Amino acid sequence: MEGYGRYRFVRRLGGGDTSEVLLCDHGGRRVALKVFSIQGRQLQEMIAEAAEDLDARLRRRFVAEAELVAGFEHPNIVEILEITELLDDRPCF
């Protein structure tokens, strides 16, 4: 699937209003890729009507979440391998 760079899309695992989680192959290793993705219709309308750049704020919050989780080391918390962007400039981890 195009747009995922070095991650080969396998299938969608789930998602919400601001992200989706994809199962991908990364060099022979199965990984979960959490991708910033505004899916909720109400949120899309809010972004379109916002006086300030709501999309940019949500992107910053998404990356801040990744940075926070990357600081944890626990068997019940997924390991963040990298924080990057897809070919279409959406942040992901």
Side-chain angles (χ1 to χ4, degrees):
M1 182 173 245
E2 270 186 60
Y4 296 105
R6 61 184 174 267
Y7 297 95
R8 188 179 60 77
F9 175 79
V10 176
R11 67 182 168 92
R12 185 176 188 274
L13 297 174
D17 282 344
T18 60
S19 65
E20 59 185 327
V21 179
L22 311 174
L23 178 63
C24 294
D25 181 85
H26 179 53
R29 181 178 182 189
R30 291 286 171 108
V31 297
L33 187 66
K34 185 171 184 179
V35 180
F36 179 79
S37 178
I38 300 298
Q39 298 177 34
R41 175 183 227 116
Q42 184 178 13
L43 194 51
Q44 289 174 354
E45 291 170 2
M46 288 173 59
I47 288 171
E49 296 172 1
E52 55 188 300
D53 194 349
L54 184 57
D55 183 67
R57 285 183 39 214
L58 290 170
R59 285 173 182 266
R60 284 194 303 271
R61 286 179 59 182
F62 182 86
V63 172
E65 172 192 344
E67 291 169 343
L68 178 68
V69 174
F72 295 121
E73 188 173 323
H74 189 277
N76 295 330
I77 299 176
V78 297
E79 177 184 4
I80 303 294
L81 301 176
E82 72 175 331
I83 302 169
T84 187
E85 290 185 347
L86 299 178
L87 298 176
D88 62 5
D89 296 326
R90 288 185 296 161
C92 64
F93 58 93

